[in-house]
Amino acid sequence: RREIDTIDKAIIEKLSERLQAVQKIGEYKKQHNITVQDPNREAKLYIKLNQLSQEHQVPLELVTHIYDYIMNHSRGMQE
């Protein structure tokens, strides 16, 4: 259980870092009139996630579900 608790803490810390980066990117996009959603960037991300899920033997469906939620939340933060 301690190992899982440590991993969960690391996940939350990294998610916090990601959200801070998303906020900075959103501010930049607003200042430069850049659209929030970048389909090319998202397509490349999902290709990379597919590769990572295979490398680390994590079900792609799980990774995709998690990142769909993260990406939707990130877009909402940038609007």
Side-chain angles (χ1 to χ4, degrees):
R1 286 187 169 250
R2 285 188 194 148
E3 183 178 2
I4 291 172
D5 290 345
T6 300
I7 293 167
D8 287 344
K9 181 178 183 248
I11 290 170
I12 297 301
E13 289 170 349
K14 290 299 178 185
L15 186 56
S16 175
E17 289 177 27
R18 190 183 198 288
L19 293 177
Q20 290 173 24
V22 164
Q23 188 172 4
K24 289 178 187 175
I25 292 167
E27 291 169 8
Y28 178 87
K29 287 179 177 181
K30 283 180 186 176
Q31 292 172 355
H32 295 88
N33 294 320
I34 300 171
T35 59
V36 170
Q37 193 165 5
D38 182 349
N40 289 328
R41 162 78 175 127
E42 290 184 21
K44 289 177 185 176
L45 172 64
Y46 280 95
I47 290 168
K48 183 67 175 174
L49 292 173
N50 186 353
Q51 293 169 347
L52 289 170
S53 70
Q54 290 178 24
E55 287 174 22
H56 296 280
Q57 300 175 342
V58 177
L60 180 58
E61 182 179 353
L62 174 62
V63 172
T64 301
H65 180 73
I66 291 168
Y67 270 87
D68 284 346
Y69 191 84
I70 289 171
M71 296 300 289
N72 285 332
H73 184 80
S74 296
R75 280 187 225 104
M77 287 180 63
Q78 293 181 13
E79 291 178 346

